[in-house]
């Protein structure tokens, strides 16, 4: 039943681990978002047939988790061109 899943929620620790951010680096979520998450999502959006989005879940002013959502692009031609260029 994983065919219909279009998002997954990650804690900040899980996200750091997936992105390979070492302990003690990019401690604030704003820094993690700007320097690791946004560039990763931009690269995936450019090279793959999916469009990714990241939505932070806040408790008060603190980001507790991030929902990563994806959708298949309507016209994946750009991703195919980028694949061929590599």
């Amino acid at each position: 039943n994983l065919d219909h899943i279009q998002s997954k929620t990650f804690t900040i620790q899980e996200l750091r681990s997936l992105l390979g951010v070492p302990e003690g680096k990019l401690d604030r979520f704003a820094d993690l978002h700007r320097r690791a998450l946004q560039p990763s999502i931009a690269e995936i959006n450019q090279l793959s047939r999916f469009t990714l989005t990241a939505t932070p879940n806040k408790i008060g002013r603190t980001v507790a988790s991030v929902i990563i959502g994806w959708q298949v692009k309507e016209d994946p031609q750009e991703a195919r061109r980028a694949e061929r260029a590599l």
Side-chain angles (χ1 to χ4, degrees):
N1 279 342
L2 296 177
D3 293 337
H4 303 290
I5 295 177
Q6 294 181 350
S7 67
K8 179 162 173 51
T9 302
F10 295 95
T11 64
I12 301 303
Q13 278 305 107
E14 291 172 332
L15 202 56
R16 288 174 163 283
S17 174
L18 287 172
L19 294 173
V21 176
E23 199 64 35
K25 298 284 185 178
L26 304 177
D27 289 328
R28 294 179 42 227
F29 177 76
D31 296 332
L32 177 71
H33 187 256
R34 183 179 66 243
R35 296 194 180 251
L37 190 57
Q38 282 182 342
S40 299
I41 289 175
E43 184 173 352
I44 291 169
N45 286 344
Q46 181 180 5
L47 297 177
S48 76
R49 63 185 186 102
F50 295 102
T51 301
L52 263 60
T53 58
T55 308
N57 286 331
K58 292 185 173 186
I59 298 176
R61 294 177 67 180
T62 305
V63 177
S65 62
V66 177
I67 298 173
I68 303 290
W70 57 89
Q71 293 181 344
V72 177
K73 291 179 183 174
E74 292 193 23
D75 184 21
Q77 294 298 329
E78 291 296 321
R80 289 189 186 131
R81 281 189 212 118
E83 263 182 22
R84 288 185 205 132
L86 295 175

